[in-house]
């Protein structure tokens, strides 16, 4: 998956413009709630065929943490 | 024992509500045909059941067209017909609609609903039964809104609706069809939905049920009632088993 596609998917998930999805952005500045956490799990499974454990997800603090896991 | 002489096929029987149904029905004298994917778990459940004649069939209901005929061939290979069936197999993917995909929807509908219809199609064949009680495990998510469960609730709503038509279509052949609608029950499925919540979030969910979280056995008891001849005048019903969740 290209970096552009990853940004597009995360922008859709967090309901923000793609320009807001930058690596250093803190997740606390986005809508990082339980619904979007479940959405991220679904996104990983559906788009990347990766099972993202909830325990791992809880360690994410920035957009970069997500992007690293998408590789 | 109220299910003496009965032979009941139960899907999703390796864990959770399906496993509890198997234990409850076996305790009441029924022979159980356990169906699930995990062969080791099925064997463990089979060995734990009281009584004799229980068998298990490892099958993946994601491919009902190929596995369902084999399930019934094996289930009735001893020449003894089935008298009841419980469809407890299910998956509860929880996700917001903005991440929905055809793949995830098809997976949910295949396990939760399409496989049930295929199971019914084969259960009603003369070689497999002479009537009986069929119970599908639905969910209160089919009658009450719940964030992230729009697809799951849809699969369970389909079960509720089909059950009513099946009840009418097959009443004169001696078949009864009902669903049970549990709310939050302490199962692996609930654990996956609440995995992203902290303790306070889980407590918030529990507070929505005046009787607290239910157990798989709470649901199994209602399923037992619907399998039991004592409920012979009940068909086409969606029985809510929710600890008061929908009473609020």
């Amino acid at each position: 998956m290209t970096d552009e596609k990853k940004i597009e998917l995360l922008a859709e998930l967090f309901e923000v413009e793609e320009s807001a999805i930058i690596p250093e952005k803190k997740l606390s500045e986005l809508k990082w709630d339980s619904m979007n956490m479940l959405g991220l799990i679904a996104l990983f499974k559906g788009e990347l065929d990766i099972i993202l454990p909830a325990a791992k997800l809880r360690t994410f603090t920035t957009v970069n943490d997500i992007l690293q896991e998408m590789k | 024992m109220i299910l003496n002489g009965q032979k009941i096929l139960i899907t999703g029987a390796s864990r959770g509500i399906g496993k509890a149904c198997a234990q409850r029905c076996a305790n009441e004298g029924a022979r159980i045909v356990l169906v699930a994917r995990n062969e080791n778990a099925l064997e463990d459940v089979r060995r734990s059941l009281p009584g004799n004649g229980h068998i298990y069939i490892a099958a993946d209901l994601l491919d009902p067209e190929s596995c369902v005929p084999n399930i019934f061939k094996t289930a009735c290979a001893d020449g003894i017909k089935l008298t009841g069936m419980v469809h407890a197999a299910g998956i509860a993917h929880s996700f917001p609609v903005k991440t929905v995909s055809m793949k995830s929807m098809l997976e949910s509908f295949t396990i939760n609903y399409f496989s049930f219809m295929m199971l019914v199609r084969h259960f009603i064949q003369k070689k497999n039964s002479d009537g009986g009680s069929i119970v599908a495990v639905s969910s209160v998510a089919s009658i009450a809104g719940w964030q992230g469960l729009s697809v799951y609730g849809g699969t369970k709503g389909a079960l509720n609706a089909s059950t009513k038509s099946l009840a009418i279509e097959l009443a004169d052949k001696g078949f009864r069809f009902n669903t049970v609608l549990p709310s939050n029950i302490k199962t692996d499925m609930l654990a996956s939905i609440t995995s992203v919540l902290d303790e306070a979030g889980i407590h918030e969910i529990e507070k929505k049920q005046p009787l607290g979280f239910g157990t798989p056995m709470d649901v199994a008891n209602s399923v037992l009632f619907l399998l039991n001849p004592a409920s012979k005048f009940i068909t086409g019903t969606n029985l809510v088993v929710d600890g008061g969740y929908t009473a609020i």
Side-chain angles (χ1 to χ4, degrees):
Chain A
M1 181 182 287
T2 63
D3 288 347
E4 289 75 21
K5 182 66 180 173
K6 290 174 193 170
I7 301 293
E8 183 191 325
L9 288 170
L10 292 181
E12 190 181 351
L13 178 73
F14 289 114
E15 297 168 54
V16 295
E17 297 293 334
E18 291 178 20
S19 57
I21 302 297
I22 51 175
E24 58 271 27
K25 184 93 168 180
K26 287 182 180 167
L27 293 176
S28 56
E29 295 169 31
L30 295 164
K31 202 181 175 208
W32 187 231
D33 59 9
S34 59
M35 279 309 290
N36 278 342
M37 289 182 187
L38 289 170
L40 191 66
I41 291 172
L43 188 154
F44 266 69
K45 186 166 186 281
E47 300 287 340
L48 301 161
D49 206 21
I50 294 173
I51 304 289
L52 179 62
K56 178 78 185 172
L57 179 136
R58 284 198 215 97
T59 67
F60 293 166
T61 57
T62 64
V63 167
N64 191 51
D65 293 335
I66 300 174
L67 293 171
Q68 289 301 315
E69 210 60 33
M70 291 174 100
K71 284 180 177 164
Chain B
M1 291 190 283
I2 57 180
L3 295 184
N4 254 342
Q6 296 216 29
K7 182 178 178 184
I8 296 164
L9 188 149
I10 302 175
T11 67
S14 63
R15 59 185 186 154
I17 292 170
K19 180 181 174 182
C21 289
Q23 290 167 331
R24 196 70 185 87
C25 292
N27 280 336
E28 291 298 336
R31 296 178 58 184
I32 311 297
V33 178
L34 305 151
V35 178
R37 277 181 300 190
N38 187 328
E39 194 163 351
N40 292 334
L42 281 170
E43 172 59 15
D44 287 345
V45 175
R46 190 191 67 78
R47 271 191 296 201
S48 74
L49 298 179
N52 299 310
H54 311 300
I55 64 167
Y56 69 81
I57 303 165
D60 187 353
L61 289 172
L62 261 180
D63 185 9
E65 204 152 28
S66 69
C67 80
V68 170
N70 290 330
I71 288 172
F72 283 90
K73 199 172 171 186
T74 308
C76 298
D78 58 2
I80 300 171
K81 295 182 182 183
L82 293 158
T83 61
M85 179 168 74
V86 180
H87 181 53
I91 47 176
H93 289 322
S94 175
F95 45 75
V97 70
K98 62 191 171 190
T99 58
V100 79
S101 67
M102 278 307 295
K103 188 183 169 204
S104 62
M105 285 195 290
L106 274 174
E107 198 175 284
S108 294
F109 268 91
T110 300
I111 298 278
N112 296 0
Y113 176 69
F114 298 146
S115 64
F116 171 70
M117 295 303 288
M118 291 302 290
L119 288 159
V120 168
R121 179 185 165 178
H122 287 267
F123 184 95
I124 62 174
Q125 290 176 4
K126 263 287 170 203
K127 63 183 177 186
N128 295 325
S129 73
D130 292 314
S133 173
I134 291 100
V135 182
V137 178
S138 178
S139 166
V140 289
S142 64
I143 58 169
W146 203 311
Q147 268 197 357
L149 294 183
S150 55
V151 174
Y152 176 73
T155 67
K156 297 302 191 178
L159 280 178
N160 299 349
S162 288
T163 296
K164 289 183 183 293
S165 290
L166 288 165
I168 293 166
E169 188 175 321
L170 293 159
D172 64 348
K173 307 269 192 318
F175 295 98
R176 294 189 296 118
F177 292 86
N178 295 287
T179 62
V180 292
L181 281 62
S183 53
N184 291 301
I185 305 296
K186 284 181 184 165
T187 61
D188 295 346
M189 218 180 264
L190 178 66
S192 75
I193 292 172
T194 57
S195 62
V196 296
L197 300 176
D198 55 18
E199 281 214 4
I202 294 170
H203 185 60
E204 273 301 306
I205 292 179
E206 189 171 17
K207 272 200 317 192
K208 290 181 180 174
Q209 294 182 187
L211 299 183
F213 285 135
T215 67
M217 202 51 81
D218 291 329
V219 184
N221 284 331
S222 63
V223 170
L224 175 69
F225 168 66
L226 292 169
L227 292 170
N228 177 353
S231 66
K232 67 183 175 60
F233 198 55
I234 299 175
T235 194
T237 285
N238 305 138
L239 177 62
V240 174
V241 187
D242 70 350
Y245 179 86
T246 52
I248 295 176

